[in-house]
């Protein structure tokens, strides 16, 4: 309750400082024992006194993975925030209504269809095939869910959830068929998308996510007042001069872009977009001008902590981070269902 009374700059500064500390802590976690001060020396002080293999592990493996965690978490959080504002319901989230499953099916199709090109042209897979197919899968799923759940009476959350279940089942069948016809290399790649993992982090995927996050934040912040007006209802937003249908189409496509990019680089990671917007509203209220940047920082923090836990929970093995986020988000979703009981029909 205290944080709600604090000014926005202080909250942003607090989470930014926590993000810096988390970054240093994240690069210390792994099979190789690297001390916290060694991580500080390598990342901030650029010390040459450390052994070359320590600098190599930090700068080429752990630091890129940590940066990718933050970017993916921020993208999923802001997409969840916008989707909840768009549907005006706290149960809307890309994973729950099937958008992530559709994007994952698109990525699986790209992996299988372009398997022969993956070894010769890895940049083509990273920047073209997988992201584009994941975006198309997420966009088609989002449009389908929106069409099924929207009528003249408004948006039915029950139909949205049922549509998400059906689409997730259909996408699961498609991914299962891809697994059936895949060879060993394809199966290893497909397992990455199905469970969610950030172990394959590289600077090309970081660049892709950075461009996506910056673009989404710029447009979402620009549309934040329109989103605030939409919270009053579609009729009220129309009276205020908001082009509601065009705004919906734009935000649906943009959230599909964000989900598609995250699926292409990290696989299916659910519930970030469900949990974070609620926590953000507890701190800043429903105003999207402040909710979006706070959600981005909190999403980065949550996924980074989840990834750190995934590396130490079953060490020396590694738990897929999608399992960790599901363990966090599923109880929260059940709590929301109890809270919304009687109001979601």
């Amino acid at each position: 309750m205290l944080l709600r009374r604090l000014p926005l700059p202080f909250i942003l500064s607090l989470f930014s400082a926590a993000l810096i500390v988390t970054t240093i802590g994240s690069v210390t976690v792994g099979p190789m024992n690297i001390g916290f001060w060694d991580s500080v020396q390598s990342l901030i002080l650029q010390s040459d006194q450390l052994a070359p293999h320590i600098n190599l592990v930090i700068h080429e493996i752990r630091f890129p993975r940590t940066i990718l965690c933050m970017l993916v978490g921020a993208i999923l959080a802001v997409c969840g925030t916008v989707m909840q504002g768009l549907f005006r319901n706290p149960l809307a989230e890309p994973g729950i209504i099937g958008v992530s499953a559709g994007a994952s099916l698109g990525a699986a199709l790209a992996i299988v269809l372009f398997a022969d090109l993956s070894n010769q042209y890895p940049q083509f897979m990273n920047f073209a095939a997988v992201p584009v197919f994941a975006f198309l899968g997420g966009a088609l799923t989002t449009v389908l869910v929106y069409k099924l759940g929207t009528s003249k009476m408004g948006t039915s959350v029950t139909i949205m959830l049922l549509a998400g279940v059906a689409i997730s089942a259909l996408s699961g069948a498609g991914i299962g068929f891809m697994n059936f016809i895949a060879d060993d290399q394809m199966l290893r790649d497909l397992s990455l998308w199905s469970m969610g993992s950030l172990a394959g982090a590289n600077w090309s995927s970081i660049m892709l996510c950075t461009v996506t996050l910056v673009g989404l934040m710029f447009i979402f912040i620009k549309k934040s007042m329109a989103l605030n007006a939409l919270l009053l209802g579609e009729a009220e937003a129309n009276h205020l001069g908001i082009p509601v249908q065009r705004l919906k189409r734009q935000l649906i496509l943009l959230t599909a872009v964000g989900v598609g990019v995250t699926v292409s680089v990290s696989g299916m990671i659910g519930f970030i977009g469900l949990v974070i917007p609620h926590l953000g509203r507890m701190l800043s209220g429903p105003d999207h001008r402040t909710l979006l940047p706070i959600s981005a920082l909190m999403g980065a923090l949550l996924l980074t902590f989840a990834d750190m836990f995934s590396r130490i929970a079953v060490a020396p093995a590694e738990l897929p981070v999608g399992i960790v986020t599901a363990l966090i988000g599923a109880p929260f979703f059940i709590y929301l269902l109890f809270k919304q009981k009687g109001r979601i029909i």
Side-chain angles (χ1 to χ4, degrees):
M1 299 299 291
L2 178 61
L3 286 176
R4 186 182 299 179
R5 304 189 188 102
L6 297 176
L8 176 65
F10 182 85
I11 297 177
L12 293 178
S13 300
L14 182 64
F15 282 115
S16 298
L19 206 55
I20 294 173
V21 175
T22 303
T23 301
I24 300 174
S26 178
V27 299
T28 67
V29 176
M32 180 184 292
N33 186 20
I34 299 177
F36 186 85
W37 178 242
D38 289 340
S39 301
V40 172
Q41 285 183 301
S42 181
L43 288 177
I44 300 177
L45 303 179
Q46 299 293 321
S47 175
D48 295 330
Q49 299 178 357
L50 297 176
H53 68 278
I54 293 180
N55 280 318
L56 179 66
V57 168
I58 289 177
H59 288 281
E60 299 299 328
I61 299 176
R62 295 186 184 176
F63 186 60
R65 177 171 179 158
T66 301
I67 296 300
L68 187 63
C69 277
M70 295 178 179
L71 293 170
V72 170
I75 292 172
L76 290 174
V78 297
C79 286
T81 300
V82 169
M83 189 163 286
Q84 289 183 11
L86 180 65
F87 289 113
R88 301 189 305 282
N89 194 281
L91 299 179
E93 193 264 342
I96 292 173
I97 64 175
V99 179
S100 297
S104 186
L105 176 59
L109 286 171
I111 291 171
V112 174
L113 292 176
F114 296 98
D116 295 336
L117 297 176
S118 61
N119 293 327
Q120 298 178 0
Y121 306 102
Q123 297 299 321
F124 171 76
M125 294 294 289
N126 291 335
F127 284 98
V130 176
V132 168
F133 273 70
F135 160 70
L136 291 175
L140 291 174
T141 302
T142 308
V143 172
L144 181 58
V145 169
Y146 173 72
K147 291 293 185 182
L148 289 173
T150 303
S151 65
K152 294 181 180 180
M153 302 298 294
T155 300
S156 171
V157 180
T158 303
I159 295 178
M160 280 173 46
L161 295 176
L162 293 175
V165 171
I167 290 171
S168 296
L170 185 61
S171 298
I175 294 173
F177 180 73
M178 295 296 106
N179 283 318
F180 178 75
I181 65 175
D183 57 24
D184 290 341
Q185 181 59 46
M186 294 180 198
L187 284 172
R188 284 193 292 269
D189 292 337
L190 287 171
S191 65
L192 175 70
W193 314 122
S194 62
M195 292 185 292
S197 174
L198 294 136
N202 54 60
W203 291 109
S204 60
S205 59
I206 289 173
M207 185 185 304
L208 177 63
C209 287
T210 300
V211 172
T212 302
L213 178 60
V214 171
L216 289 178
M217 286 298 295
F218 176 79
I219 299 174
F220 287 160
I221 292 294
K222 194 174 180 179
K223 302 289 185 181
S224 59
M225 291 300 294
L227 269 172
N228 290 343
L230 196 60
L231 293 177
L232 301 173
E234 293 186 12
E236 289 78 2
N238 270 317
H239 287 311
L240 292 173
I242 305 297
V244 173
Q245 296 305 318
R246 186 173 68 184
L247 177 67
K248 285 183 176 181
R249 288 192 295 268
Q250 290 174 347
L251 295 180
I252 284 173
L253 287 176
L254 288 171
T255 53
V257 169
V259 173
V261 168
T262 59
V263 167
S264 70
V265 300
S266 63
M268 289 184 64
I269 298 177
F271 294 104
I272 298 290
L274 176 72
V275 175
I276 293 301
H278 288 275
L279 299 179
R281 280 190 287 268
M282 289 172 60
L283 297 178
S284 67
D287 189 346
H288 287 86
R289 291 174 297 177
T290 58
L291 180 59
L292 284 167
I294 289 176
S295 295
L297 286 172
M298 294 179 68
L301 271 172
L302 179 59
L303 188 56
T304 304
F305 275 115
D307 184 63
M308 291 171 62
F309 179 79
S310 72
R311 282 181 269 166
I312 63 176
V314 290
E318 183 176 309
L319 192 67
V321 70
I323 296 177
V324 179
T325 58
L327 290 174
I328 297 172
F332 190 81
F333 180 60
I334 294 172
Y335 161 75
L336 287 179
L337 286 177
F338 276 111
K339 189 175 179 181
Q340 293 288 314
K341 187 165 63 173
R343 291 187 286 169
I344 63 174
I345 303 298

